[in-house]
Amino acid sequence: MALAASLIDPMNKSHDTPRHVAIVMDGNGRWASKRSLARAMGHKRGAEAVRGAIEGAVDAGVEYLTLYAFSSENWNRPAEEVSDLMGLLKLYLTREIKSLHKEGVRLRIIGNRDRLSAEIKKSITKAEELTKNNGRLTLVIALSYGSRDEILQAAKAVAIKATAGDLDIDQLTEEQFERELFTHGIPDPDLIIRTSGEQRLSNFLLWQVAYSEFLFVDTLWPDFTKEHFASAVKVFAMRERRYGVRP
Ligand code: FPP
């Protein structure tokens, strides 16, 4: 109640905009079962809700929007659901990419591509190449992504360089390590949103969230709109970030 009132408080003059917002899009299944629909329908509506988040990000002046679309653990879902999700992602990469490009959105995909079909890998390369010079918003889609996997492969890359004599392990810096992560070149998220009332990270951006603000909202992902995004940005503006330092 107090929070809702403060969101519309005209005296709130804070204009801190998060540079990077990352979202765990959760609740597609519950959205569908509440309506006695198949889970596939929840995912379809979830894919449609992505548009609202992009519009919200552009309206707010956010530079990077990362969406957790398919985790490395999601491969363990029933084959039919994996196939539905992959179908939606393929469609998104081939159909939606044209309008994203027109709107000046750059697309980047993070995650382990080894398990993706050749067709999806090809669409990713094409979409990233087409949009690489766009600067209005960078849309980062986490696909076949797992943060522990990401950190582990970065550690391996660093170890290989050290063994080859290309790197002094005692001098290894956070910046050098970050260069080996899928997210290299992308600033750390300022704000993490998770929908559907669940309050956990689920192996998402574990290294990158060291100083992020977290916002858990009850809205199920298919119901998430650009207005929800705008409210989240307002909540962020009221948070005091200290980065471990005393004010
Ligand atoms: C979690 O809901 C959501 C997912 C596992 C997939 C997210 C995918 C989309 C929103 C669609 C495709 C995305 C793009 C970018 C086109 P859940 O199934 O775990 O829901 P539940 O917890 O209610 O069962």
Side-chain angles (χ1 to χ4, degrees), residues 13 17 27 53 107 117 134 141 171 185 199 234:
K13 297 266 195 289
T17 301
L107 186 79
S117 71
N134 294 341
I141 297 185
Q171 304 295 320
Q199 304 193 1
K234 282 187 188 158

Side-chain angles (χ1 to χ4, degrees), residues 53-230:
I54 293 175
E55 284 175 14
V58 169
D59 289 352
V62 165
E63 291 173 51
Y64 295 84
L65 173 67
T66 298
L67 302 176
Y68 202 4
F70 193 93
S71 72
S72 37
E73 290 72 28
N74 286 157
W75 287 112
N76 301 322
R77 290 196 176 194
E80 194 188 337
E81 187 169 357
V82 170
S83 154
D84 287 340
L85 280 165
M86 285 297 148
L88 277 173
L89 287 157
K90 196 167 74 189
L91 215 60
Y92 195 80
L93 289 166
T94 47
R95 282 210 197 140
E96 197 64 20
I97 195 67
K98 293 181 195 93
S99 49
L100 291 179
H101 183 46
K102 256 193 226 150
E103 290 158 27
V105 175
R106 178 180 180 183
L107 186 79
R108 264 187 72 172
I109 303 293
I110 56 169
N112 184 340
R113 298 188 190 184
D114 293 349
R115 294 182 76 177
L116 298 174
S117 71
E119 216 181 341
I120 290 195
K121 279 193 263 202
K122 207 169 133 199
S123 319
I124 291 175
T125 312
K126 242 175 113 179
E128 287 185 329
E129 181 61 26
L130 175 74
T131 61
K132 69 177 180 197
N133 295 319
N134 294 341
R136 197 160 176 216
L137 170 77
T138 298
L139 173 66
V140 183
I141 297 185
L143 179 50
S144 188
Y145 175 90
S147 194
R148 286 188 173 180
D149 174 39
E150 174 183 40
I151 294 168
L152 196 62
Q153 67 83 29
K156 282 183 195 163
V158 160
I160 289 169
K161 283 186 182 165
T163 309
D166 295 334
L167 181 114
D168 177 356
I169 207 75
D170 290 326
Q171 304 295 320
L172 179 67
T173 63
E174 288 185 8
E175 288 71 26
Q176 281 173 321
F177 189 77
E178 278 167 359
R179 263 180 241 145
E180 308 296 341
L181 297 173
F182 293 137
T183 51
H184 60 90
I186 299 172
D188 287 344
D190 301 290
L191 175 64
I192 303 284
I193 303 170
R194 183 171 187 143
T195 58
S196 88
E198 304 294 341
Q199 304 193 1
R200 56 179 173 269
L201 264 180
S202 303
N203 206 9
F204 188 44
L205 303 175
L206 300 181
W207 171 282
Q208 297 86 344
V209 299
Y211 291 103
S212 305
E213 294 292 327
F214 287 78
L215 181 64
F216 300 103
V217 297
D218 288 337
T219 313
L220 300 176
W221 176 252
D223 291 329
F224 193 87
T225 62
K226 63 177 181 179
E227 287 76 23
H228 290 106
F229 193 96

